[in-house]
Amino acid sequence: MKIVLVAGARPNFMKVAPILAALHARRQTRPDLCVLLVHTGQHYDQAMSQDFFDDLRIPPPDINLCAGSGSHAEQTSKVMVAFEKVCDAEKPDWVIVVGDVNSTMACAITAKKMGIRVAHVEAGLRSRDMSMPEEINRLCTDCLSDLLFTTDTIACENLKREGVPEEKIHMVGNTMIDTVVRCLERARSLPLPSGLENGRFAVLTLHRPSNVDNHETLADILGAVSTISERIPIVFPAHPRTAANLAQNGYSNGSHLQVTKPFSYLPFLGLVSRSRMVLTDSGGIQEETTFLGIPCLTLRSNTERPVTCQVGTNILVGTDPARIREVALSVLNGFRRRSSVPDKWDGHSAERIADTLVQ
Ligand code: UD1
């Protein structure tokens, strides 16, 4: 049985790490199991890719497609053309894709058209916002997949409503949380950046095109953040897309707002886990903060991860500066929601995936 596991962009690496480890472990009882890791090269900077491989102890990919950046069509097509050659040469029985980035959809379409079975990890998430490229990637990938591994029951319900047969859907929990569980101790043993004290700083991340490519929205968010930074220091590790927009618009460090280069996985987890609150437009960080019990303000009007609002620490605040300030200040003044961790976010999701696949 040959499995190709695909990773392409930063949020994929923490999801593939435990799956790869679990599949490798199954080789003791299934010596016929062959697993190849394919990196599409969607993310390629040291800080966006190799640093994550190092922190997460992921072995070097067996194949790198070196697709790189481009418009959506360019990037997707470059991945597809290169991945078709890999599938042709390797003839895998299964292709596993994770998440919702362009590489996820590109490899799912390529494999399915070649008659190869596709498993999607993190299936069924829906923002119902078709202006998000990731929503298009999720819909396309899910409707092609033969096995759909979900993180929660809301995702299972979404898939059933869309007509996916129940036997294809497996609620396994969250592989991103497997990685948090595995790495938390190492992450928390790293020193905090100088000047920061445990529980006395906030973290900001922004990279959604709808937030950072639109000058007015970016200015609104940063205006609110600047007011909040008068109460608490804020660390802002900036994605390359965001950094370019900040530079173009003449933004620089404020006295309590530290814009930094992207952090790799362990320092970032160490930072978030010791922060007072997080402001973000990321998907994965909504889940990590729910698991860690850290208040999260999501700077978007919707989320594909509603479970983090229903049972976790996440509050959707949108991008209205008055609302961002109001909610942030109420958190700083002690407002705290009762929260819990969703079912099966227990560090064993990748093992459930590996068991289902090898059975
Ligand atoms: C992608 C994903 C998004 C995910 C995000 C995490 C899609 C549609 N989007 O968005 O879902 O949340 O990754 O980071 O797949 N760049 C670099 N170095 C790199 C990679 C990118 O400088 O290593 C710059 C390039 O200018 C590139 C831009 O960032 O054009 C955007 O990269 P891209 O991979 O297209 O999308 P992201 O915004 O990173």
Side-chain angles (χ1 to χ4, degrees):
M1 181 180 181
K2 193 183 257 188
I3 297 178
V4 164
L5 177 59
V6 176
R10 183 171 62 174
N12 292 163
F13 305 136
M14 43 292 228
K15 295 166 196 166
V16 300
I19 300 172
L20 192 63
L23 288 171
H24 278 155
R26 297 302 178 284
R27 287 176 59 196
Q28 288 181 346
T29 47
R30 285 286 304 263
D32 62 316
L33 187 62
C34 167
V35 187
L36 294 178
L37 178 63
V38 171
H39 189 330
T40 67
Q42 175 173 343
H43 283 175
Y44 44 83
D45 282 353
Q46 176 79 22
M48 300 290 285
S49 179
Q50 188 56 47
D51 287 350
F52 283 75
F53 274 67
D54 295 343
D55 275 4
L56 300 171
R57 298 176 179 155
I58 308 175
D62 297 286
I63 300 162
N64 193 324
L65 307 181
C66 298
S69 300
S71 69
H72 284 272
E74 274 168 347
Q75 187 173 61
T76 306
S77 57
K78 278 195 275 182
V79 173
M80 288 178 74
V81 171
F83 191 60
E84 188 176 48
K85 294 194 178 98
V86 170
C87 291
D88 214 14
E90 299 294 340
K91 308 212 169 2
D93 300 290
W94 282 94
V95 166
I96 309 179
V97 293
V98 302
D100 57 14
V101 301
N102 285 344
S103 301
T104 310
M105 177 185 73
C107 293
I109 296 176
T110 307
K112 194 67 187 172
K113 287 206 166 184
M114 296 177 83
I116 301 163
R117 282 172 293 179
V118 174
H120 183 204
V121 175
E122 205 184 80
L125 299 185
R126 297 288 179 267
S127 65
R128 315 275 172 218
D129 175 359
M130 291 298 275
S131 69
M132 268 183 101
E134 293 83 0
E135 185 71 357
I136 300 171
N137 295 341
R138 292 179 200 117
L139 287 163
C140 291
T141 306
D142 283 344
C143 77
L144 298 175
S145 294
D146 300 278
L147 268 178
L148 297 99
F149 294 111
T150 66
T151 49
D152 60 61
T153 50
I154 305 173
C156 296
E157 290 311 314
N158 288 338
L159 293 171
K160 283 184 218 160
R161 259 199 307 275
E162 289 168 19
V164 177
E166 244 172 88
E167 62 273 16
K168 286 187 178 183
I169 306 170
H170 298 260
M171 210 282 262
V172 290
N174 196 323
T175 54
M176 188 171 248
I177 300 304
D178 289 9
T179 298
V180 174
V181 170
R182 194 187 306 177
C183 296
L184 192 56
E185 211 178 298
R186 268 197 298 152
R188 289 177 69 96
S189 70
L190 297 175
L192 286 169
S194 72
L196 297 183
E197 283 176 54
N198 213 335
R200 294 181 175 214
F201 62 92
V203 179
L204 168 69
T205 80
L206 290 175
H207 74 280
R208 295 265 156 234
S210 58
N211 281 344
V212 302
D213 291 353
N214 180 315
H215 299 181
E216 250 174 55
T217 311
L218 185 60
D220 277 352
I221 294 174
L222 292 177
V225 164
S226 163
T227 317
I228 300 162
S229 74
E230 288 163 15
R231 281 282 302 274
I232 189 164
I234 302 181
V235 191
F236 180 12
H239 181 284
R241 174 197 283 282
T242 313
N245 282 306
L246 291 174
Q248 209 176 27
N249 290 289
Y251 289 107
S252 55
N253 276 331
S255 52
H256 299 289
L257 177 65
Q258 277 181 46
V259 184
T260 70
K261 291 200 160 27
F263 280 44
S264 65
Y265 184 75
L266 289 173
F268 187 74
L269 178 61
L271 187 75
V272 167
S273 66
R274 287 172 284 179
S275 69
R276 178 78 180 77
M277 71 175 170
V278 174
L279 299 106
T280 189
D281 61 7
S282 151
I285 296 172
Q286 297 172 47
E287 299 180 335
E288 290 164 341
T289 46
T290 274
F291 180 78
L292 296 167
I294 304 283
C296 177
L297 277 58
T298 295
L299 307 172
R300 290 171 46 192
S301 54
N302 55 55
T303 177
E304 61 289 334
R305 293 162 162 92
V307 72
T308 58
C309 297
Q310 287 176 9
V311 309
T313 56
N314 190 17
I315 307 172
L316 268 189
V317 295
T319 55
D320 172 41
R323 168 100 178 125
I324 298 172
R325 271 193 296 266
E326 181 199 321
V327 179
L329 295 181
S330 82
V331 169
L332 294 179
N333 289 336
F335 169 75
R336 228 187 151 85
R337 292 224 321 244
R338 282 168 69 91
S339 68
S340 62
V341 175
D343 190 26
K344 294 193 184 166
W345 290 22
D346 58 0
H348 300 291
S349 303
E351 287 160 35
R352 294 184 191 106
I353 291 171
D355 284 342
T356 310
L357 274 163
V358 297
Q359 277 161 23

PDB file of all heavy atoms in Angstrom, residues 294-312:
ATOM      1  N   ILE A 294      -6.618  30.263  25.941  1.00  0.00           N
ATOM      2  CA  ILE A 294      -6.217  31.679  25.821  1.00  0.00           C
ATOM      3  C   ILE A 294      -7.322  32.427  25.056  1.00  0.00           C
ATOM      4  O   ILE A 294      -7.729  31.982  23.978  1.00  0.00           O
ATOM      5  CB  ILE A 294      -4.893  31.805  25.018  1.00  0.00           C
ATOM      6  CG1 ILE A 294      -3.779  30.966  25.648  1.00  0.00           C
ATOM      7  CG2 ILE A 294      -4.495  33.265  24.817  1.00  0.00           C
ATOM      8  CD1 ILE A 294      -3.149  31.544  26.864  1.00  0.00           C
ATOM      9  N   PRO A 295      -7.805  33.578  25.568  1.00  0.00           N
ATOM     10  CA  PRO A 295      -8.823  34.327  24.824  1.00  0.00           C
ATOM     11  C   PRO A 295      -8.335  34.695  23.417  1.00  0.00           C
ATOM     12  O   PRO A 295      -7.203  35.144  23.253  1.00  0.00           O
ATOM     13  CB  PRO A 295      -9.020  35.597  25.666  1.00  0.00           C
ATOM     14  CG  PRO A 295      -8.509  35.256  27.024  1.00  0.00           C
ATOM     15  CD  PRO A 295      -7.435  34.223  26.832  1.00  0.00           C
ATOM     16  N   CYS A 296      -9.212  34.493  22.426  1.00  0.00           N
ATOM     17  CA  CYS A 296      -8.855  34.767  21.028  1.00  0.00           C
ATOM     18  C   CYS A 296      -9.897  35.700  20.423  1.00  0.00           C
ATOM     19  O   CYS A 296     -11.096  35.414  20.482  1.00  0.00           O
ATOM     20  CB  CYS A 296      -8.805  33.457  20.244  1.00  0.00           C
ATOM     21  SG  CYS A 296      -8.458  33.661  18.495  1.00  0.00           S
ATOM     22  N   LEU A 297      -9.454  36.813  19.854  1.00  0.00           N
ATOM     23  CA  LEU A 297     -10.362  37.714  19.137  1.00  0.00           C
ATOM     24  C   LEU A 297     -10.090  37.512  17.653  1.00  0.00           C
ATOM     25  O   LEU A 297      -8.976  37.791  17.181  1.00  0.00           O
ATOM     26  CB  LEU A 297     -10.080  39.171  19.506  1.00  0.00           C
ATOM     27  CG  LEU A 297     -10.716  39.707  20.783  1.00  0.00           C
ATOM     28  CD1 LEU A 297     -10.302  38.905  22.006  1.00  0.00           C
ATOM     29  CD2 LEU A 297     -10.358  41.169  20.969  1.00  0.00           C
ATOM     30  N   THR A 298     -11.074  37.010  16.924  1.00  0.00           N
ATOM     31  CA  THR A 298     -10.863  36.740  15.504  1.00  0.00           C
ATOM     32  C   THR A 298     -11.330  37.933  14.676  1.00  0.00           C
ATOM     33  O   THR A 298     -12.504  38.323  14.732  1.00  0.00           O
ATOM     34  CB  THR A 298     -11.562  35.427  15.100  1.00  0.00           C
ATOM     35  OG1 THR A 298     -10.906  34.372  15.800  1.00  0.00           O
ATOM     36  CG2 THR A 298     -11.465  35.165  13.616  1.00  0.00           C
ATOM     37  N   LEU A 299     -10.393  38.485  13.911  1.00  0.00           N
ATOM     38  CA  LEU A 299     -10.634  39.731  13.175  1.00  0.00           C
ATOM     39  C   LEU A 299     -11.216  39.390  11.803  1.00  0.00           C
ATOM     40  O   LEU A 299     -10.628  39.666  10.756  1.00  0.00           O
ATOM     41  CB  LEU A 299      -9.323  40.514  13.054  1.00  0.00           C
ATOM     42  CG  LEU A 299      -8.600  40.746  14.387  1.00  0.00           C
ATOM     43  CD1 LEU A 299      -7.229  41.359  14.167  1.00  0.00           C
ATOM     44  CD2 LEU A 299      -9.426  41.631  15.304  1.00  0.00           C
ATOM     45  N   ARG A 300     -12.356  38.718  11.826  1.00  0.00           N
ATOM     46  CA  ARG A 300     -13.070  38.334  10.601  1.00  0.00           C
ATOM     47  C   ARG A 300     -14.550  38.340  10.918  1.00  0.00           C
ATOM     48  O   ARG A 300     -14.940  38.276  12.087  1.00  0.00           O
ATOM     49  CB  ARG A 300     -12.664  36.904  10.179  1.00  0.00           C
ATOM     50  CG  ARG A 300     -11.255  36.779   9.678  1.00  0.00           C
ATOM     51  CD  ARG A 300     -10.844  35.323   9.489  1.00  0.00           C
ATOM     52  NE  ARG A 300     -11.844  34.528   8.809  1.00  0.00           N
ATOM     53  CZ  ARG A 300     -11.811  33.208   8.730  1.00  0.00           C
ATOM     54  NH1 ARG A 300     -10.831  32.519   9.286  1.00  0.00           N
ATOM     55  NH2 ARG A 300     -12.763  32.553   8.097  1.00  0.00           N
ATOM     56  N   SER A 301     -15.381  38.383   9.860  1.00  0.00           N
ATOM     57  CA  SER A 301     -16.820  38.412  10.124  1.00  0.00           C
ATOM     58  C   SER A 301     -17.412  37.006  10.151  1.00  0.00           C
ATOM     59  O   SER A 301     -18.578  36.820  10.465  1.00  0.00           O
ATOM     60  CB  SER A 301     -17.521  39.254   9.056  1.00  0.00           C
ATOM     61  OG  SER A 301     -17.163  38.747   7.793  1.00  0.00           O
ATOM     62  N   ASN A 302     -16.620  35.999   9.777  1.00  0.00           N
ATOM     63  CA  ASN A 302     -17.126  34.618   9.830  1.00  0.00           C
ATOM     64  C   ASN A 302     -15.974  33.706  10.207  1.00  0.00           C
ATOM     65  O   ASN A 302     -14.810  34.105  10.167  1.00  0.00           O
ATOM     66  CB  ASN A 302     -17.705  34.215   8.470  1.00  0.00           C
ATOM     67  CG  ASN A 302     -16.691  34.415   7.357  1.00  0.00           C
ATOM     68  OD1 ASN A 302     -15.583  33.896   7.407  1.00  0.00           O
ATOM     69  ND2 ASN A 302     -17.052  35.210   6.344  1.00  0.00           N
ATOM     70  N   THR A 303     -16.337  32.483  10.572  1.00  0.00           N
ATOM     71  CA  THR A 303     -15.290  31.487  10.815  1.00  0.00           C
ATOM     72  C   THR A 303     -15.762  30.139  10.312  1.00  0.00           C
ATOM     73  O   THR A 303     -16.945  29.794  10.445  1.00  0.00           O
ATOM     74  CB  THR A 303     -14.906  31.381  12.305  1.00  0.00           C
ATOM     75  OG1 THR A 303     -13.934  30.332  12.434  1.00  0.00           O
ATOM     76  CG2 THR A 303     -16.087  31.081  13.229  1.00  0.00           C
ATOM     77  N   GLU A 304     -14.828  29.386   9.757  1.00  0.00           N
ATOM     78  CA  GLU A 304     -15.131  28.010   9.342  1.00  0.00           C
ATOM     79  C   GLU A 304     -14.976  27.069  10.530  1.00  0.00           C
ATOM     80  O   GLU A 304     -15.180  25.880  10.405  1.00  0.00           O
ATOM     81  CB  GLU A 304     -14.222  27.589   8.178  1.00  0.00           C
ATOM     82  CG  GLU A 304     -12.719  27.596   8.455  1.00  0.00           C
ATOM     83  CD  GLU A 304     -12.149  29.008   8.589  1.00  0.00           C
ATOM     84  OE1 GLU A 304     -12.743  29.946   8.013  1.00  0.00           O
ATOM     85  OE2 GLU A 304     -11.120  29.167   9.281  1.00  0.00           O
ATOM     86  N   ARG A 305     -14.603  27.635  11.681  1.00  0.00           N
ATOM     87  CA  ARG A 305     -14.359  26.822  12.886  1.00  0.00           C
ATOM     88  C   ARG A 305     -15.276  27.273  14.026  1.00  0.00           C
ATOM     89  O   ARG A 305     -14.807  27.715  15.081  1.00  0.00           O
ATOM     90  CB  ARG A 305     -12.887  26.957  13.289  1.00  0.00           C
ATOM     91  CG  ARG A 305     -11.942  26.333  12.266  1.00  0.00           C
ATOM     92  CD  ARG A 305     -10.532  26.826  12.421  1.00  0.00           C
ATOM     93  NE  ARG A 305      -9.562  25.971  11.764  1.00  0.00           N
ATOM     94  CZ  ARG A 305      -9.135  26.134  10.516  1.00  0.00           C
ATOM     95  NH1 ARG A 305      -9.605  27.114   9.763  1.00  0.00           N
ATOM     96  NH2 ARG A 305      -8.233  25.298  10.015  1.00  0.00           N
ATOM     97  N   PRO A 306     -16.615  27.213  13.821  1.00  0.00           N
ATOM     98  CA  PRO A 306     -17.540  27.754  14.820  1.00  0.00           C
ATOM     99  C   PRO A 306     -17.456  27.056  16.174  1.00  0.00           C
ATOM    100  O   PRO A 306     -17.817  27.642  17.194  1.00  0.00           O
ATOM    101  CB  PRO A 306     -18.922  27.551  14.186  1.00  0.00           C
ATOM    102  CG  PRO A 306     -18.733  26.499  13.146  1.00  0.00           C
ATOM    103  CD  PRO A 306     -17.323  26.631  12.665  1.00  0.00           C
ATOM    104  N   VAL A 307     -16.931  25.823  16.191  1.00  0.00           N
ATOM    105  CA  VAL A 307     -16.833  25.119  17.475  1.00  0.00           C
ATOM    106  C   VAL A 307     -15.955  25.906  18.456  1.00  0.00           C
ATOM    107  O   VAL A 307     -16.180  25.879  19.671  1.00  0.00           O
ATOM    108  CB  VAL A 307     -16.304  23.671  17.263  1.00  0.00           C
ATOM    109  CG1 VAL A 307     -14.820  23.649  16.906  1.00  0.00           C
ATOM    110  CG2 VAL A 307     -16.549  22.817  18.485  1.00  0.00           C
ATOM    111  N   THR A 308     -14.983  26.656  17.919  1.00  0.00           N
ATOM    112  CA  THR A 308     -14.089  27.415  18.809  1.00  0.00           C
ATOM    113  C   THR A 308     -14.830  28.575  19.470  1.00  0.00           C
ATOM    114  O   THR A 308     -14.430  29.031  20.539  1.00  0.00           O
ATOM    115  CB  THR A 308     -12.867  27.975  18.034  1.00  0.00           C
ATOM    116  OG1 THR A 308     -13.352  28.817  16.970  1.00  0.00           O
ATOM    117  CG2 THR A 308     -12.007  26.871  17.460  1.00  0.00           C
ATOM    118  N   CYS A 309     -15.929  29.047  18.838  1.00  0.00           N
ATOM    119  CA  CYS A 309     -16.758  30.096  19.462  1.00  0.00           C
ATOM    120  C   CYS A 309     -17.786  29.453  20.387  1.00  0.00           C
ATOM    121  O   CYS A 309     -18.103  29.997  21.443  1.00  0.00           O
ATOM    122  CB  CYS A 309     -17.498  30.914  18.401  1.00  0.00           C
ATOM    123  SG  CYS A 309     -16.413  31.816  17.305  1.00  0.00           S
ATOM    124  N   GLN A 310     -18.309  28.289  19.963  1.00  0.00           N
ATOM    125  CA  GLN A 310     -19.381  27.655  20.756  1.00  0.00           C
ATOM    126  C   GLN A 310     -18.866  27.109  22.075  1.00  0.00           C
ATOM    127  O   GLN A 310     -19.492  27.298  23.111  1.00  0.00           O
ATOM    128  CB  GLN A 310     -20.037  26.538  19.943  1.00  0.00           C
ATOM    129  CG  GLN A 310     -20.905  27.097  18.837  1.00  0.00           C
ATOM    130  CD  GLN A 310     -21.489  26.002  17.962  1.00  0.00           C
ATOM    131  OE1 GLN A 310     -21.387  24.820  18.264  1.00  0.00           O
ATOM    132  NE2 GLN A 310     -22.095  26.397  16.866  1.00  0.00           N
ATOM    133  N   VAL A 311     -17.736  26.392  22.038  1.00  0.00           N
ATOM    134  CA  VAL A 311     -17.257  25.819  23.307  1.00  0.00           C
ATOM    135  C   VAL A 311     -15.911  26.386  23.729  1.00  0.00           C
ATOM    136  O   VAL A 311     -15.509  26.205  24.872  1.00  0.00           O
ATOM    137  CB  VAL A 311     -17.162  24.267  23.260  1.00  0.00           C
ATOM    138  CG1 VAL A 311     -18.433  23.639  22.770  1.00  0.00           C
ATOM    139  CG2 VAL A 311     -15.997  23.790  22.416  1.00  0.00           C
ATOM    140  N   GLY A 312     -15.213  27.047  22.813  1.00  0.00           N
ATOM    141  CA  GLY A 312     -13.849  27.475  23.117  1.00  0.00           C
ATOM    142  C   GLY A 312     -13.754  28.931  23.536  1.00  0.00           C
ATOM    143  O   GLY A 312     -14.729  29.523  24.001  1.00  0.00           O
TER     144      GLY A 312
END
